[in-house]
Amino acid sequence: MGVLDELNAGARADMEERRALVGQDELVRRIAALPATRDPLPAFRAPGIAIIAEVKRSSPSKGALAEIADPAALAEAYAHGGADAISVLTEKHRFGGSLDDLAAVRARVDVPVLRKDFITDAYQLYEARAVGADLALLIVASLSDAELAALHATALDLGLTPLVETHTADEVRRAADAGAVLVGVNNRNLNTLEVDIRTFARLAPLVPEGTVLVAESGVRTPEDVRAFAEAGADVALIGEALVTGGDPVAGVRAMKEAVRG
């Protein structure tokens, strides 16, 4: 079993525990009482580079990164630095996250919030919407074509913007076939955890015109942000560099200023 398979299996097991306590009908009732979601695409399409700043305590490749006792305070700092969206890891075993983290972040910031997890079931999308997410990650490598299409449609029905993550040319094709408007190119191979920053530049030309492109993994410096923007990125998703940098406000600001609008 590869790393991604293990992460998917763990996320599904955790989901079933939560579903036994809170059924989908209850999530639907909670969602009905919520305001509309925030649309991230206008900011993502704006001149310059948009930044998704990530609340990330640890990772399978690096282990512990930062304690982050108050994820909402970190998200608020990101927003003050100019982040266009906040990504919150909600997987608990390898990333140390939770849905409580996402709910706390949602209560503190006004920018769109992404649920970043290993989503393979519609229930997880209902959870994301019920705790205040505006976007949800769908990893093409984790899903069949039918599953991807169904989850993409469900996300849209819930008002969520799907960020459809790819790593190969075939996955880019599958994302396009599913109708993805927001496509991430992950420079990290989720089965080996190796990063090749050339992946983005290789795949970006294969993405249909009009798609909003997100560079993921390996974005560590303003120079990296500039290079990915020159290769076609509209958005950079940045976690490790920001949580370990010591000054999240200045860190986000420097990344934003790397590309002038």
Side-chain angles (χ1 to χ4, degrees):
M1 181 181 290
V3 175
L4 182 57
D5 290 336
E6 292 177 3
L7 290 166
N8 285 331
R12 282 194 295 269
D14 292 341
M15 175 198 68
E16 293 300 348
E17 291 180 4
R18 295 191 301 272
R19 180 151 51 187
L21 298 173
V22 180
Q24 188 163 304
D25 288 346
E26 172 58 24
L27 295 178
V28 171
R29 285 192 287 272
R30 294 178 186 181
I31 290 167
L34 295 177
T37 52
R38 295 157 176 81
D39 182 359
L41 293 180
F44 289 177
R45 293 186 187 275
I49 190 80
I51 300 296
I52 303 175
E54 193 157 79
V55 177
K56 183 178 185 179
R57 292 188 175 89
S58 62
S59 74
S61 60
K62 295 289 184 70
L65 298 172
E67 188 170 331
I68 312 182
D70 188 346
L74 176 60
E76 187 173 42
Y78 286 157
H80 285 163
D84 299 278
I86 308 296
S87 170
V88 182
L89 267 302
T90 59
E91 194 278 339
K92 70 178 183 180
H93 299 289
R94 304 292 290 274
F95 292 91
S98 70
L99 286 167
D100 288 341
D101 287 348
L102 197 153
V105 168
R106 168 77 292 147
R108 187 75 65 90
V109 301
D110 290 327
V111 296
V113 176
L114 163 69
R115 181 185 185 183
K116 195 175 182 191
D117 209 320
F118 300 88
I119 294 175
T120 57
D121 190 288
Y123 180 85
Q124 293 163 292
L125 295 174
Y126 282 87
E127 284 183 314
R129 179 70 176 95
V131 297
D134 305 287
L135 304 95
L137 181 70
L138 298 177
I139 301 173
V140 175
S142 297
L143 304 166
S144 68
D145 287 349
E147 290 167 337
L148 176 60
L151 290 173
H152 191 271
T154 298
L156 294 176
D157 286 345
L158 289 169
L160 296 167
T161 299
L163 169 55
V164 181
E165 180 178 294
T166 65
H167 179 70
T168 67
D170 184 59
E171 289 173 10
V172 169
R173 176 193 60 77
R174 293 176 59 207
D177 288 347
V181 173
L182 181 62
V183 171
V185 173
N186 195 344
N187 294 298
R188 186 185 304 281
N189 182 324
L190 290 178
N191 284 308
T192 66
L193 301 182
E194 295 177 354
V195 173
D196 180 355
I197 61 172
R198 298 170 297 181
T199 303
F200 183 89
R202 187 170 66 250
L203 298 184
L206 306 179
V207 176
E209 186 176 352
T211 303
V212 177
L213 263 176
V214 185
E216 304 177 37
S217 299
V219 190
R220 302 189 56 82
T221 68
E223 291 73 26
D224 293 333
V225 170
R226 190 177 304 116
F228 283 122
E230 290 172 353
D234 303 293
V235 187
L237 192 157
I238 310 171
E240 180 183 340
L242 293 176
V243 299
T244 62
D247 187 338
V249 176
V252 172
R253 188 171 294 138
M255 300 296 186
K256 286 278 292 184
E257 291 176 352
V259 181
R260 299 292 183 180

